[in-house]
Amino acid sequence: MNTASKRMYSYLFFLLPAGVIYFTFYLLPTLLSFFFSTTRWTLTKWEFIGMDNYVTFFSETALSIGFRNTLIFAVVTCGLKVLLGLLLGAFLTSRIIAKNYLRSVVFFPTLLSTIAVGITFSTMMHPSQGIINVALGALGITGPDWLGNTHIALLSVALVDVWKGVGIATVIFIAGITAIPQVYYEALKIDGGSNLAAFRHITLPLSRPAMNSVIILAFIGGLRTFDLIWAMTKGGPGFTTDLIASIIYKQYQAGFYGLATAGNVILFIGVSVLAFPLYKFLTKSEVDL
């Protein structure tokens, strides 16, 4: 066996196990999802019906509301995570007391179960007995029905999602900011620059790679959110907090497995269509910087 053959054998030997795992647990289920989205299936049998599931799914009355809510939820949570993560990252990389302890406090909500967080905040946001409105009442303020008011229910859940997920954004920003060479800050300090000037002219532009990572992760996470919505509102009141993922789950509950599979395919395509151009734009701006 010559050198080239040995090298090829070595590559195949190490890549084959990973390839088998990738095909078995990712590629094959993905291909099967596309197939079963064109069928009416149960656990024991299936019937090919073409594109009927897609036609039915797009005729759902709640679908347009779900698309709108999903985009609003993703944009709001992504924007707040980027903003708060950047500010917390800058604060937690400055010279403050108990910096490591504060970092752990900020990251702690990320470790909690999403379902547990949803149930806990549902109790805290109860209109009459929840601790939030009780505290507001002690200050003479009448708190709203956080999860029952159709105008603010989606925003209420979004704020809980931000509280739980901002720790990841903060950690990414901390990593990005600490990678910035200190010589830039020292040079600005010698020139008489303030802390605000350092943040504006050094921290903000040079933490762009970290910001891009947070934007992509938070936006995709917002588009795919299900568990927090289901734990807190189950899509209510009415359809005001229904996202695409919760609509899909309701179809599964009703026993329309093929229809729900088609919804999953639509969600996959939708996330890809939105995320890939965003990724290209962000990485392009990062290179141009």
Side-chain angles (χ1 to χ4, degrees), residues 209-226:
M211 183 181 297
N212 292 346
S213 299
V214 173
I215 291 173
I216 292 295
L217 292 174
F219 187 67
I220 293 176
L223 293 175
R224 297 172 59 249
T225 295
F226 164 73

Side-chain angles (χ1 to χ4, degrees), residues 49-108:
I49 58 174
M51 302 299 289
D52 289 356
N53 283 329
Y54 291 95
V55 174
T56 303
F57 192 86
F58 278 109
S59 65
E60 286 285 328
T61 56
L63 186 63
S64 60
I65 300 175
F67 273 122
R68 183 197 65 191
N69 289 344
T70 302
L71 285 175
I72 292 174
F73 188 88
V75 170
V76 170
T77 55
C78 177
L80 290 177
K81 287 176 183 176
V82 171
L83 177 61
L84 295 176
L86 176 60
L87 295 178
L88 287 170
F91 175 70
L92 295 175
T93 52
S94 61
R95 297 181 178 179
I96 57 174
I97 300 174
K99 179 166 54 179
N100 292 332
Y101 170 74
L102 293 175
R103 288 179 179 180
S104 64
V105 170
V106 171
F107 187 73
F108 177 73

Side-chain angles (χ1 to χ4, degrees), residues 221-236:
L223 293 175
R224 297 172 59 249
T225 295
F226 164 73
D227 42 4
L228 186 63
I229 285 285
W230 198 255
M232 295 188 69
T233 65
K234 290 184 172 57

Side-chain angles (χ1 to χ4, degrees), residues 100-167:
N100 292 332
Y101 170 74
L102 293 175
R103 288 179 179 180
S104 64
V105 170
V106 171
F107 187 73
F108 177 73
T110 306
L111 305 176
L112 301 176
S113 164
T114 304
I115 299 299
V117 169
I119 294 173
T120 301
F121 271 92
S122 297
T123 304
M124 293 172 62
M125 290 179 170
H126 190 276
S128 59
Q129 301 175 1
I131 189 173
I132 295 177
N133 280 0
V134 169
L136 291 175
L139 299 175
I141 302 173
T142 302
D145 186 353
W146 298 98
L147 301 178
N149 188 321
T150 57
H151 299 292
I152 64 172
L154 185 63
L155 179 60
S156 299
V157 180
L159 292 177
V160 176
D161 181 78
V162 171
W163 176 84
K164 187 181 185 306
V166 74

